[in-house]
Amino acid sequence: ASCELRHSESLQGVLRQDPTVAESWLFARCQALEAKLASVQNRKKDQQIEAAVSRMDEVTKAVAPYMEEVAEFASSIPDMQPSDDPISVPVGALRFTHHSVNAEMAFGEDHENKQESIFKLFDGLFRGHIMPESLELDVFLHVGPDGVRGLYSRNNRRTIALHCFQSLRRDHAVRVPCRVYLDNDVRPCPIDQRSLKEWFNQGYDRAGSFKKNCNGLGRSIFPRRGSSKHRGYELFKPVACARLVLE
């Protein structure tokens, strides 16, 4: 109170002496008060952000602890260097290059396990007959439409099975060996004589493709019209499958 009284007396004295000086004094006083108010508001905002982050961390630890490891790894992707030697990558950090998977949910003719169901691979992972460490993937460093540099898998079917497996192992991050390439690498790709750049570009579904439903971010993958099969046989239509075997 005594401080405010001194300020009041000082202001009255200034006003009596020179109104111009008083105006400048008042302006400076207002600026100081605005700066103090902004500082208080910023401090409050920082506290709110810290509290929100803390709540998110608590939820993550409670619901999906593996995401902590994924988030830590993802923070290194912007500075990641390509590597022909496979490096261990959390499955949760991988994006898809395809917007959709083939209608039969099976591996294509150019795969060693051609026509085998993706569900068979998942089943093998789930039962422990197949280890994630035995599946080597080819992934590309690519800046997506969101402006974020991500790891885009060129092995979409295997990545589907791995993501399914990770969803049932939320206590820890499932990791898979990955060869990491730049999306403009002109060296030959591992399956034919196309360059790695061509292999990526021809397999990456960019934003606006597929009747403009594709966002190019690679976080999700969708089915094509059809039914799931294993070596040509319907998986979930036993009558139709039995009839085909008998024929």
PDB file of all heavy atoms in Angstrom, residues 43-79:
ATOM      1  N   ARG A  43       4.045 -17.961 -18.473  1.00  0.00           N
ATOM      2  CA  ARG A  43       4.425 -18.926 -17.440  1.00  0.00           C
ATOM      3  C   ARG A  43       3.274 -19.889 -17.174  1.00  0.00           C
ATOM      4  O   ARG A  43       3.479 -21.095 -17.030  1.00  0.00           O
ATOM      5  CB  ARG A  43       4.836 -18.186 -16.169  1.00  0.00           C
ATOM      6  CG  ARG A  43       5.516 -19.055 -15.132  1.00  0.00           C
ATOM      7  CD  ARG A  43       6.353 -18.236 -14.158  1.00  0.00           C
ATOM      8  NE  ARG A  43       5.567 -17.215 -13.494  1.00  0.00           N
ATOM      9  CZ  ARG A  43       5.763 -15.916 -13.638  1.00  0.00           C
ATOM     10  NH1 ARG A  43       6.708 -15.473 -14.464  1.00  0.00           N
ATOM     11  NH2 ARG A  43       5.011 -15.046 -13.004  1.00  0.00           N
ATOM     12  N   LYS A  44       2.051 -19.353 -17.152  1.00  0.00           N
ATOM     13  CA  LYS A  44       0.880 -20.191 -16.938  1.00  0.00           C
ATOM     14  C   LYS A  44       0.685 -21.152 -18.101  1.00  0.00           C
ATOM     15  O   LYS A  44       0.362 -22.330 -17.911  1.00  0.00           O
ATOM     16  CB  LYS A  44      -0.363 -19.315 -16.762  1.00  0.00           C
ATOM     17  CG  LYS A  44      -1.622 -20.102 -16.433  1.00  0.00           C
ATOM     18  CD  LYS A  44      -2.806 -19.183 -16.211  1.00  0.00           C
ATOM     19  CE  LYS A  44      -4.056 -19.975 -15.877  1.00  0.00           C
ATOM     20  NZ  LYS A  44      -5.236 -19.090 -15.676  1.00  0.00           N
ATOM     21  N   LYS A  45       0.913 -20.647 -19.328  1.00  0.00           N
ATOM     22  CA  LYS A  45       0.763 -21.490 -20.523  1.00  0.00           C
ATOM     23  C   LYS A  45       1.801 -22.607 -20.515  1.00  0.00           C
ATOM     24  O   LYS A  45       1.492 -23.760 -20.845  1.00  0.00           O
ATOM     25  CB  LYS A  45       0.912 -20.640 -21.783  1.00  0.00           C
ATOM     26  CG  LYS A  45       0.559 -21.351 -23.070  1.00  0.00           C
ATOM     27  CD  LYS A  45       0.701 -20.423 -24.279  1.00  0.00           C
ATOM     28  CE  LYS A  45      -0.283 -19.296 -24.203  1.00  0.00           C
ATOM     29  NZ  LYS A  45      -0.201 -18.427 -25.424  1.00  0.00           N
ATOM     30  N   ASP A  46       3.046 -22.276 -20.140  1.00  0.00           N
ATOM     31  CA  ASP A  46       4.102 -23.298 -20.058  1.00  0.00           C
ATOM     32  C   ASP A  46       3.741 -24.375 -19.041  1.00  0.00           C
ATOM     33  O   ASP A  46       3.968 -25.571 -19.274  1.00  0.00           O
ATOM     34  CB  ASP A  46       5.434 -22.656 -19.673  1.00  0.00           C
ATOM     35  CG  ASP A  46       6.019 -21.801 -20.795  1.00  0.00           C
ATOM     36  OD1 ASP A  46       5.586 -21.980 -21.954  1.00  0.00           O
ATOM     37  OD2 ASP A  46       6.889 -20.959 -20.503  1.00  0.00           O
ATOM     38  N   GLN A  47       3.171 -23.964 -17.929  1.00  0.00           N
ATOM     39  CA  GLN A  47       2.767 -24.927 -16.895  1.00  0.00           C
ATOM     40  C   GLN A  47       1.654 -25.835 -17.399  1.00  0.00           C
ATOM     41  O   GLN A  47       1.641 -27.039 -17.118  1.00  0.00           O
ATOM     42  CB  GLN A  47       2.314 -24.174 -15.645  1.00  0.00           C
ATOM     43  CG  GLN A  47       3.441 -23.465 -14.903  1.00  0.00           C
ATOM     44  CD  GLN A  47       2.938 -22.580 -13.785  1.00  0.00           C
ATOM     45  OE1 GLN A  47       1.742 -22.290 -13.684  1.00  0.00           O
ATOM     46  NE2 GLN A  47       3.848 -22.135 -12.921  1.00  0.00           N
ATOM     47  N   GLN A  48       0.720 -25.250 -18.178  1.00  0.00           N
ATOM     48  CA  GLN A  48      -0.374 -26.049 -18.743  1.00  0.00           C
ATOM     49  C   GLN A  48       0.162 -27.065 -19.746  1.00  0.00           C
ATOM     50  O   GLN A  48      -0.294 -28.213 -19.783  1.00  0.00           O
ATOM     51  CB  GLN A  48      -1.402 -25.126 -19.411  1.00  0.00           C
ATOM     52  CG  GLN A  48      -2.190 -24.270 -18.434  1.00  0.00           C
ATOM     53  CD  GLN A  48      -3.090 -23.268 -19.125  1.00  0.00           C
ATOM     54  OE1 GLN A  48      -2.844 -22.885 -20.279  1.00  0.00           O
ATOM     55  NE2 GLN A  48      -4.127 -22.819 -18.438  1.00  0.00           N
ATOM     56  N   ILE A  49       1.135 -26.622 -20.576  1.00  0.00           N
ATOM     57  CA  ILE A  49       1.727 -27.534 -21.562  1.00  0.00           C
ATOM     58  C   ILE A  49       2.468 -28.663 -20.868  1.00  0.00           C
ATOM     59  O   ILE A  49       2.341 -29.837 -21.233  1.00  0.00           O
ATOM     60  CB  ILE A  49       2.681 -26.762 -22.501  1.00  0.00           C
ATOM     61  CG1 ILE A  49       1.885 -25.801 -23.401  1.00  0.00           C
ATOM     62  CG2 ILE A  49       3.491 -27.730 -23.368  1.00  0.00           C
ATOM     63  CD1 ILE A  49       2.751 -24.880 -24.232  1.00  0.00           C
ATOM     64  N   GLU A  50       3.250 -28.320 -19.841  1.00  0.00           N
ATOM     65  CA  GLU A  50       3.987 -29.336 -19.094  1.00  0.00           C
ATOM     66  C   GLU A  50       3.032 -30.340 -18.448  1.00  0.00           C
ATOM     67  O   GLU A  50       3.286 -31.551 -18.445  1.00  0.00           O
ATOM     68  CB  GLU A  50       4.851 -28.668 -18.023  1.00  0.00           C
ATOM     69  CG  GLU A  50       6.057 -27.909 -18.582  1.00  0.00           C
ATOM     70  CD  GLU A  50       6.825 -27.189 -17.494  1.00  0.00           C
ATOM     71  OE1 GLU A  50       6.459 -27.352 -16.302  1.00  0.00           O
ATOM     72  OE2 GLU A  50       7.778 -26.470 -17.820  1.00  0.00           O
ATOM     73  N   ALA A  51       1.922 -29.845 -17.923  1.00  0.00           N
ATOM     74  CA  ALA A  51       0.934 -30.732 -17.293  1.00  0.00           C
ATOM     75  C   ALA A  51       0.298 -31.650 -18.337  1.00  0.00           C
ATOM     76  O   ALA A  51       0.091 -32.843 -18.080  1.00  0.00           O
ATOM     77  CB  ALA A  51      -0.138 -29.897 -16.595  1.00  0.00           C
ATOM     78  N   ALA A  52       0.004 -31.093 -19.532  1.00  0.00           N
ATOM     79  CA  ALA A  52      -0.603 -31.902 -20.599  1.00  0.00           C
ATOM     80  C   ALA A  52       0.357 -32.980 -21.077  1.00  0.00           C
ATOM     81  O   ALA A  52      -0.040 -34.131 -21.294  1.00  0.00           O
ATOM     82  CB  ALA A  52      -1.005 -31.000 -21.769  1.00  0.00           C
ATOM     83  N   VAL A  53       1.637 -32.618 -21.240  1.00  0.00           N
ATOM     84  CA  VAL A  53       2.645 -33.590 -21.662  1.00  0.00           C
ATOM     85  C   VAL A  53       2.798 -34.688 -20.618  1.00  0.00           C
ATOM     86  O   VAL A  53       2.917 -35.869 -20.947  1.00  0.00           O
ATOM     87  CB  VAL A  53       4.005 -32.891 -21.919  1.00  0.00           C
ATOM     88  CG1 VAL A  53       5.111 -33.927 -22.120  1.00  0.00           C
ATOM     89  CG2 VAL A  53       3.922 -31.982 -23.131  1.00  0.00           C
ATOM     90  N   SER A  54       2.785 -34.272 -19.352  1.00  0.00           N
ATOM     91  CA  SER A  54       2.905 -35.248 -18.266  1.00  0.00           C
ATOM     92  C   SER A  54       1.726 -36.222 -18.279  1.00  0.00           C
ATOM     93  O   SER A  54       1.915 -37.433 -18.102  1.00  0.00           O
ATOM     94  CB  SER A  54       2.968 -34.517 -16.920  1.00  0.00           C
ATOM     95  OG  SER A  54       3.033 -35.436 -15.859  1.00  0.00           O
ATOM     96  N   ARG A  55       0.519 -35.695 -18.526  1.00  0.00           N
ATOM     97  CA  ARG A  55      -0.663 -36.574 -18.586  1.00  0.00           C
ATOM     98  C   ARG A  55      -0.564 -37.532 -19.765  1.00  0.00           C
ATOM     99  O   ARG A  55      -0.909 -38.721 -19.655  1.00  0.00           O
ATOM    100  CB  ARG A  55      -1.935 -35.722 -18.706  1.00  0.00           C
ATOM    101  CG  ARG A  55      -2.355 -35.041 -17.417  1.00  0.00           C
ATOM    102  CD  ARG A  55      -3.786 -34.547 -17.486  1.00  0.00           C
ATOM    103  NE  ARG A  55      -3.961 -33.551 -18.527  1.00  0.00           N
ATOM    104  CZ  ARG A  55      -3.786 -32.249 -18.369  1.00  0.00           C
ATOM    105  NH1 ARG A  55      -3.404 -31.777 -17.183  1.00  0.00           N
ATOM    106  NH2 ARG A  55      -3.994 -31.412 -19.363  1.00  0.00           N
ATOM    107  N   MET A  56      -0.079 -37.025 -20.915  1.00  0.00           N
ATOM    108  CA  MET A  56       0.085 -37.882 -22.090  1.00  0.00           C
ATOM    109  C   MET A  56       1.092 -38.986 -21.814  1.00  0.00           C
ATOM    110  O   MET A  56       0.891 -40.137 -22.214  1.00  0.00           O
ATOM    111  CB  MET A  56       0.525 -37.041 -23.292  1.00  0.00           C
ATOM    112  CG  MET A  56      -0.562 -36.147 -23.862  1.00  0.00           C
ATOM    113  SD  MET A  56       0.021 -35.128 -25.228  1.00  0.00           S
ATOM    114  CE  MET A  56       0.462 -36.394 -26.421  1.00  0.00           C
ATOM    115  N   ASP A  57       2.191 -38.648 -21.130  1.00  0.00           N
ATOM    116  CA  ASP A  57       3.203 -39.652 -20.792  1.00  0.00           C
ATOM    117  C   ASP A  57       2.606 -40.726 -19.881  1.00  0.00           C
ATOM    118  O   ASP A  57       2.873 -41.921 -20.059  1.00  0.00           O
ATOM    119  CB  ASP A  57       4.399 -38.993 -20.103  1.00  0.00           C
ATOM    120  CG  ASP A  57       5.248 -38.177 -21.062  1.00  0.00           C
ATOM    121  OD1 ASP A  57       5.116 -38.394 -22.287  1.00  0.00           O
ATOM    122  OD2 ASP A  57       6.030 -37.332 -20.601  1.00  0.00           O
ATOM    123  N   GLU A  58       1.791 -40.290 -18.937  1.00  0.00           N
ATOM    124  CA  GLU A  58       1.171 -41.243 -18.016  1.00  0.00           C
ATOM    125  C   GLU A  58       0.219 -42.182 -18.752  1.00  0.00           C
ATOM    126  O   GLU A  58       0.205 -43.386 -18.500  1.00  0.00           O
ATOM    127  CB  GLU A  58       0.416 -40.479 -16.917  1.00  0.00           C
ATOM    128  CG  GLU A  58       1.318 -39.756 -15.930  1.00  0.00           C
ATOM    129  CD  GLU A  58       0.539 -38.920 -14.937  1.00  0.00           C
ATOM    130  OE1 GLU A  58      -0.710 -38.964 -14.997  1.00  0.00           O
ATOM    131  OE2 GLU A  58       1.163 -38.229 -14.117  1.00  0.00           O
ATOM    132  N   VAL A  59      -0.561 -41.608 -19.673  1.00  0.00           N
ATOM    133  CA  VAL A  59      -1.503 -42.422 -20.459  1.00  0.00           C
ATOM    134  C   VAL A  59      -0.740 -43.402 -21.336  1.00  0.00           C
ATOM    135  O   VAL A  59      -1.104 -44.579 -21.454  1.00  0.00           O
ATOM    136  CB  VAL A  59      -2.419 -41.525 -21.312  1.00  0.00           C
ATOM    137  CG1 VAL A  59      -3.229 -42.370 -22.287  1.00  0.00           C
ATOM    138  CG2 VAL A  59      -3.348 -40.717 -20.425  1.00  0.00           C
ATOM    139  N   THR A  60       0.334 -42.920 -21.973  1.00  0.00           N
ATOM    140  CA  THR A  60       1.141 -43.786 -22.841  1.00  0.00           C
ATOM    141  C   THR A  60       1.725 -44.954 -22.059  1.00  0.00           C
ATOM    142  O   THR A  60       1.666 -46.107 -22.494  1.00  0.00           O
ATOM    143  CB  THR A  60       2.280 -42.984 -23.493  1.00  0.00           C
ATOM    144  OG1 THR A  60       1.721 -41.962 -24.307  1.00  0.00           O
ATOM    145  CG2 THR A  60       3.154 -43.884 -24.363  1.00  0.00           C
ATOM    146  N   LYS A  61       2.283 -44.668 -20.892  1.00  0.00           N
ATOM    147  CA  LYS A  61       2.862 -45.724 -20.060  1.00  0.00           C
ATOM    148  C   LYS A  61       1.813 -46.726 -19.613  1.00  0.00           C
ATOM    149  O   LYS A  61       2.090 -47.921 -19.498  1.00  0.00           O
ATOM    150  CB  LYS A  61       3.548 -45.105 -18.838  1.00  0.00           C
ATOM    151  CG  LYS A  61       4.817 -44.330 -19.168  1.00  0.00           C
ATOM    152  CD  LYS A  61       5.396 -43.683 -17.921  1.00  0.00           C
ATOM    153  CE  LYS A  61       6.645 -42.868 -18.265  1.00  0.00           C
ATOM    154  NZ  LYS A  61       7.204 -42.181 -17.065  1.00  0.00           N
ATOM    155  N   ALA A  62       0.599 -46.233 -19.376  1.00  0.00           N
ATOM    156  CA  ALA A  62      -0.462 -47.115 -18.900  1.00  0.00           C
ATOM    157  C   ALA A  62      -1.066 -47.956 -20.012  1.00  0.00           C
ATOM    158  O   ALA A  62      -1.399 -49.124 -19.809  1.00  0.00           O
ATOM    159  CB  ALA A  62      -1.561 -46.286 -18.228  1.00  0.00           C
ATOM    160  N   VAL A  63      -1.206 -47.381 -21.204  1.00  0.00           N
ATOM    161  CA  VAL A  63      -1.915 -48.055 -22.290  1.00  0.00           C
ATOM    162  C   VAL A  63      -0.974 -48.748 -23.277  1.00  0.00           C
ATOM    163  O   VAL A  63      -1.211 -49.889 -23.684  1.00  0.00           O
ATOM    164  CB  VAL A  63      -2.811 -47.043 -23.060  1.00  0.00           C
ATOM    165  CG1 VAL A  63      -3.503 -47.720 -24.235  1.00  0.00           C
ATOM    166  CG2 VAL A  63      -3.837 -46.434 -22.117  1.00  0.00           C
ATOM    167  N   ALA A  64       0.084 -48.075 -23.673  1.00  0.00           N
ATOM    168  CA  ALA A  64       0.990 -48.634 -24.687  1.00  0.00           C
ATOM    169  C   ALA A  64       2.431 -48.227 -24.373  1.00  0.00           C
ATOM    170  O   ALA A  64       2.984 -47.324 -25.010  1.00  0.00           O
ATOM    171  CB  ALA A  64       0.595 -48.146 -26.086  1.00  0.00           C
ATOM    172  N   PRO A  65       3.049 -48.885 -23.392  1.00  0.00           N
ATOM    173  CA  PRO A  65       4.410 -48.520 -22.990  1.00  0.00           C
ATOM    174  C   PRO A  65       5.428 -48.548 -24.141  1.00  0.00           C
ATOM    175  O   PRO A  65       6.396 -47.795 -24.124  1.00  0.00           O
ATOM    176  CB  PRO A  65       4.749 -49.576 -21.934  1.00  0.00           C
ATOM    177  CG  PRO A  65       3.433 -50.033 -21.408  1.00  0.00           C
ATOM    178  CD  PRO A  65       2.494 -49.974 -22.571  1.00  0.00           C
ATOM    179  N   TYR A  66       5.187 -49.411 -25.143  1.00  0.00           N
ATOM    180  CA  TYR A  66       6.153 -49.522 -26.243  1.00  0.00           C
ATOM    181  C   TYR A  66       6.287 -48.226 -27.032  1.00  0.00           C
ATOM    182  O   TYR A  66       7.300 -47.982 -27.699  1.00  0.00           O
ATOM    183  CB  TYR A  66       5.756 -50.665 -27.184  1.00  0.00           C
ATOM    184  CG  TYR A  66       4.651 -50.356 -28.151  1.00  0.00           C
ATOM    185  CD1 TYR A  66       4.934 -49.904 -29.438  1.00  0.00           C
ATOM    186  CD2 TYR A  66       3.312 -50.522 -27.795  1.00  0.00           C
ATOM    187  CE1 TYR A  66       3.911 -49.620 -30.341  1.00  0.00           C
ATOM    188  CE2 TYR A  66       2.296 -50.252 -28.691  1.00  0.00           C
ATOM    189  CZ  TYR A  66       2.596 -49.800 -29.960  1.00  0.00           C
ATOM    190  OH  TYR A  66       1.582 -49.526 -30.845  1.00  0.00           O
ATOM    191  N   MET A  67       5.255 -47.350 -26.966  1.00  0.00           N
ATOM    192  CA  MET A  67       5.290 -46.115 -27.747  1.00  0.00           C
ATOM    193  C   MET A  67       6.365 -45.151 -27.260  1.00  0.00           C
ATOM    194  O   MET A  67       6.819 -44.299 -28.020  1.00  0.00           O
ATOM    195  CB  MET A  67       3.920 -45.441 -27.712  1.00  0.00           C
ATOM    196  CG  MET A  67       2.889 -46.088 -28.624  1.00  0.00           C
ATOM    197  SD  MET A  67       3.452 -46.150 -30.367  1.00  0.00           S
ATOM    198  CE  MET A  67       3.651 -44.400 -30.740  1.00  0.00           C
ATOM    199  N   GLU A  68       6.793 -45.287 -26.007  1.00  0.00           N
ATOM    200  CA  GLU A  68       7.899 -44.451 -25.523  1.00  0.00           C
ATOM    201  C   GLU A  68       9.158 -44.720 -26.330  1.00  0.00           C
ATOM    202  O   GLU A  68       9.856 -43.794 -26.763  1.00  0.00           O
ATOM    203  CB  GLU A  68       8.155 -44.726 -24.043  1.00  0.00           C
ATOM    204  CG  GLU A  68       7.154 -44.102 -23.106  1.00  0.00           C
ATOM    205  CD  GLU A  68       7.610 -44.201 -21.662  1.00  0.00           C
ATOM    206  OE1 GLU A  68       7.518 -45.312 -21.104  1.00  0.00           O
ATOM    207  OE2 GLU A  68       8.051 -43.189 -21.103  1.00  0.00           O
ATOM    208  N   GLU A  69       9.442 -46.004 -26.542  1.00  0.00           N
ATOM    209  CA  GLU A  69      10.615 -46.391 -27.322  1.00  0.00           C
ATOM    210  C   GLU A  69      10.462 -45.968 -28.779  1.00  0.00           C
ATOM    211  O   GLU A  69      11.419 -45.521 -29.410  1.00  0.00           O
ATOM    212  CB  GLU A  69      10.823 -47.898 -27.221  1.00  0.00           C
ATOM    213  CG  GLU A  69      12.128 -48.387 -27.838  1.00  0.00           C
ATOM    214  CD  GLU A  69      12.353 -49.874 -27.621  1.00  0.00           C
ATOM    215  OE1 GLU A  69      11.779 -50.433 -26.659  1.00  0.00           O
ATOM    216  OE2 GLU A  69      13.098 -50.484 -28.417  1.00  0.00           O
ATOM    217  N   VAL A  70       9.249 -46.101 -29.308  1.00  0.00           N
ATOM    218  CA  VAL A  70       8.990 -45.696 -30.691  1.00  0.00           C
ATOM    219  C   VAL A  70       9.215 -44.193 -30.854  1.00  0.00           C
ATOM    220  O   VAL A  70       9.839 -43.746 -31.818  1.00  0.00           O
ATOM    221  CB  VAL A  70       7.556 -46.072 -31.105  1.00  0.00           C
ATOM    222  CG1 VAL A  70       7.229 -45.488 -32.493  1.00  0.00           C
ATOM    223  CG2 VAL A  70       7.382 -47.581 -31.140  1.00  0.00           C
ATOM    224  N   ALA A  71       8.686 -43.414 -29.902  1.00  0.00           N
ATOM    225  CA  ALA A  71       8.820 -41.957 -29.967  1.00  0.00           C
ATOM    226  C   ALA A  71      10.284 -41.535 -29.884  1.00  0.00           C
ATOM    227  O   ALA A  71      10.732 -40.633 -30.606  1.00  0.00           O
ATOM    228  CB  ALA A  71       8.019 -41.303 -28.848  1.00  0.00           C
ATOM    229  N   GLU A  72      11.032 -42.194 -29.019  1.00  0.00           N
ATOM    230  CA  GLU A  72      12.458 -41.873 -28.888  1.00  0.00           C
ATOM    231  C   GLU A  72      13.192 -42.178 -30.189  1.00  0.00           C
ATOM    232  O   GLU A  72      14.026 -41.391 -30.650  1.00  0.00           O
ATOM    233  CB  GLU A  72      13.069 -42.660 -27.736  1.00  0.00           C
ATOM    234  CG  GLU A  72      14.537 -42.334 -27.493  1.00  0.00           C
ATOM    235  CD  GLU A  72      15.118 -43.097 -26.317  1.00  0.00           C
ATOM    236  OE1 GLU A  72      14.356 -43.805 -25.621  1.00  0.00           O
ATOM    237  OE2 GLU A  72      16.345 -43.001 -26.103  1.00  0.00           O
ATOM    238  N   PHE A  73      12.872 -43.335 -30.796  1.00  0.00           N
ATOM    239  CA  PHE A  73      13.506 -43.683 -32.069  1.00  0.00           C
ATOM    240  C   PHE A  73      13.093 -42.707 -33.166  1.00  0.00           C
ATOM    241  O   PHE A  73      13.927 -42.277 -33.970  1.00  0.00           O
ATOM    242  CB  PHE A  73      13.136 -45.104 -32.478  1.00  0.00           C
ATOM    243  CG  PHE A  73      13.733 -45.544 -33.776  1.00  0.00           C
ATOM    244  CD1 PHE A  73      14.993 -46.117 -33.818  1.00  0.00           C
ATOM    245  CD2 PHE A  73      13.057 -45.362 -34.974  1.00  0.00           C
ATOM    246  CE1 PHE A  73      15.567 -46.506 -35.029  1.00  0.00           C
ATOM    247  CE2 PHE A  73      13.611 -45.747 -36.184  1.00  0.00           C
ATOM    248  CZ  PHE A  73      14.864 -46.316 -36.208  1.00  0.00           C
ATOM    249  N   ALA A  74      11.810 -42.355 -33.212  1.00  0.00           N
ATOM    250  CA  ALA A  74      11.304 -41.461 -34.265  1.00  0.00           C
ATOM    251  C   ALA A  74      12.010 -40.109 -34.239  1.00  0.00           C
ATOM    252  O   ALA A  74      12.187 -39.482 -35.289  1.00  0.00           O
ATOM    253  CB  ALA A  74       9.799 -41.277 -34.121  1.00  0.00           C
ATOM    254  N   SER A  75      12.420 -39.683 -33.061  1.00  0.00           N
ATOM    255  CA  SER A  75      13.115 -38.391 -32.957  1.00  0.00           C
ATOM    256  C   SER A  75      14.473 -38.411 -33.657  1.00  0.00           C
ATOM    257  O   SER A  75      15.038 -37.355 -33.957  1.00  0.00           O
ATOM    258  CB  SER A  75      13.286 -38.001 -31.486  1.00  0.00           C
ATOM    259  OG  SER A  75      14.181 -38.887 -30.821  1.00  0.00           O
ATOM    260  N   SER A  76      14.994 -39.617 -33.925  1.00  0.00           N
ATOM    261  CA  SER A  76      16.306 -39.723 -34.596  1.00  0.00           C
ATOM    262  C   SER A  76      16.176 -39.799 -36.121  1.00  0.00           C
ATOM    263  O   SER A  76      17.176 -39.670 -36.834  1.00  0.00           O
ATOM    264  CB  SER A  76      17.047 -40.972 -34.091  1.00  0.00           C
ATOM    265  OG  SER A  76      16.419 -42.163 -34.574  1.00  0.00           O
ATOM    266  N   ILE A  77      14.956 -40.008 -36.636  1.00  0.00           N
ATOM    267  CA  ILE A  77      14.767 -40.196 -38.074  1.00  0.00           C
ATOM    268  C   ILE A  77      15.174 -38.973 -38.897  1.00  0.00           C
ATOM    269  O   ILE A  77      15.772 -39.123 -39.972  1.00  0.00           O
ATOM    270  CB  ILE A  77      13.316 -40.619 -38.382  1.00  0.00           C
ATOM    271  CG1 ILE A  77      13.044 -42.006 -37.774  1.00  0.00           C
ATOM    272  CG2 ILE A  77      13.054 -40.659 -39.885  1.00  0.00           C
ATOM    273  CD1 ILE A  77      11.616 -42.486 -37.959  1.00  0.00           C
ATOM    274  N   PRO A  78      14.877 -37.736 -38.453  1.00  0.00           N
ATOM    275  CA  PRO A  78      15.278 -36.577 -39.265  1.00  0.00           C
ATOM    276  C   PRO A  78      16.768 -36.527 -39.597  1.00  0.00           C
ATOM    277  O   PRO A  78      17.163 -36.014 -40.647  1.00  0.00           O
ATOM    278  CB  PRO A  78      14.857 -35.386 -38.403  1.00  0.00           C
ATOM    279  CG  PRO A  78      13.707 -35.900 -37.602  1.00  0.00           C
ATOM    280  CD  PRO A  78      14.066 -37.325 -37.292  1.00  0.00           C
ATOM    281  N   ASP A  79      17.602 -37.066 -38.708  1.00  0.00           N
ATOM    282  CA  ASP A  79      19.060 -37.038 -38.923  1.00  0.00           C
ATOM    283  C   ASP A  79      19.618 -38.409 -39.319  1.00  0.00           C
ATOM    284  O   ASP A  79      20.840 -38.577 -39.404  1.00  0.00           O
ATOM    285  CB  ASP A  79      19.766 -36.560 -37.650  1.00  0.00           C
ATOM    286  CG  ASP A  79      19.334 -35.160 -37.242  1.00  0.00           C
ATOM    287  OD1 ASP A  79      19.225 -34.296 -38.129  1.00  0.00           O
ATOM    288  OD2 ASP A  79      19.082 -34.944 -36.040  1.00  0.00           O
TER     289      ASP A  79
END
